[in-house]
Amino acid sequence: MLTMNDVIREGHPTLRKVAGKMTLPLTDEEKDLADKMLEFLKNSQDPETAEKYELRPGVGIAAPQVNVSKRMIAVHVPSDDPEESEPEFSGVLINPKIVSHSVQQTCLSEGEGCLSVDREVPGYVPRHKRIKVEYVDIDGNTQKKRLKNFPAIVVQHEIDHLNGVMFYDHIDPDNPLALPDDLEVLGSAE
Ligand code: SB7
Ligand code: NI
């Protein structure tokens, strides 16, 4: 299983590289990594497992964060309805690409954090409110998915990792709490 020891931190050069496109079908090793990335997220969101292995809770992880410079991300966003056991959006996205997005932006009221960043970085991170993402799933099928709000923010954060971009690159250094007009701030999940 993956633990926080597998996650590289700020300053590691891999986090600033543009990750390479994956060739399909995935190798057994790549499939194994895909499974482990999704398993890490589920473990990190399970209070007992997270405590036992000292995992920071995460809703997404990108392969470069475990020092694999390939275009693969895992996302596991639970439903905000406690009655609902199905996650809102969960899976591994291979070669994900945002093919269209809204002009309207959004951001989380609490800002963002990152498993690769061991400090709080205050400030708003403007993101597209709605995106359409195209990707190959773990079964090798091409998927097109429309996402909005929190799941859309998470996918944008993860795709940034594939391009060597960190969330704080989007924060206005002179005024971290500056917001463009018509941007709606979202209450964050954590
Ligand atoms: C807040 C948190 C995340 C995404 C968007 C908003 C995920 C944090 C975990 N990661 O570092 C994943 O790259
Ligand atoms: Ni991150």
Side-chain angles (χ1 to χ4, degrees):
M1 68 178 281
L2 294 175
T3 68
M4 293 307 296
N5 291 333
D6 299 295
V7 176
I8 59 171
R9 309 301 160 93
E10 266 183 300
H12 194 298
T14 300
L15 289 172
R16 287 307 193 177
K17 283 190 190 139
V18 175
K21 204 165 168 185
M22 298 196 81
T23 51
L24 296 151
L26 298 189
T27 64
D28 287 347
E29 197 187 350
E30 288 166 340
K31 265 189 242 161
D32 187 56
L33 177 64
D35 291 344
K36 285 183 167 149
M37 285 167 52
L38 194 55
E39 179 200 43
F40 172 87
L41 299 178
K42 293 175 184 172
N43 285 341
S44 82
Q45 292 175 30
D46 178 73
E48 283 90 61
T49 316
E51 192 186 323
K52 181 165 174 200
Y53 296 105
E54 298 182 352
L55 308 178
R56 258 181 71 185
V59 286
I61 189 167
Q65 292 183 278
V66 290
N67 204 16
V68 175
S69 196
K70 295 181 183 176
R71 304 189 77 80
M72 177 160 78
I73 66 176
V75 176
H76 189 72
V77 179
S79 166
D80 51 16
D81 175 357
E83 309 276 274
E84 177 60 74
S85 61
E86 286 297 301
E88 183 170 356
F89 185 51
S90 179
V92 172
L93 285 64
I94 297 149
N95 297 328
K97 186 175 159 37
I98 293 170
V99 291
S100 63
H101 62 78
S102 60
V103 173
Q104 197 183 9
Q105 293 184 305
T106 189
C107 69
L108 297 177
S109 59
E110 321 270 274
E112 294 186 15
C114 182
L115 295 168
S116 299
V117 179
D118 291 321
R119 61 193 172 104
E120 295 260 331
V121 185
Y124 290 129
V125 180
R127 301 287 189 185
H128 307 303
K129 185 174 171 68
R130 290 177 301 276
I131 59 172
K132 186 174 167 191
V133 63
E134 229 178 78
Y135 60 95
V136 175
D137 70 16
I138 196 65
D139 301 315
N141 299 315
T142 299
Q143 303 282 350
K144 293 181 182 74
K145 180 100 185 150
R146 285 177 194 277
L147 296 170
K148 63 174 193 254
N149 296 330
F150 189 60
I153 291 172
V154 175
V155 166
Q156 290 171 79
H157 177 119
E158 303 316 330
I159 291 179
D160 271 354
H161 279 305
L162 305 183
N163 295 321
V165 174
M166 302 293 285
F167 71 93
Y168 47 75
D169 299 341
H170 299 288
I171 299 175
D172 182 339
D174 302 318
N175 186 358
L177 298 178
L179 283 176
D181 359 300
D182 108 309
L183 183 148
E184 181 204 349
V185 179
L186 272 191
S188 108
E190 310 175 341

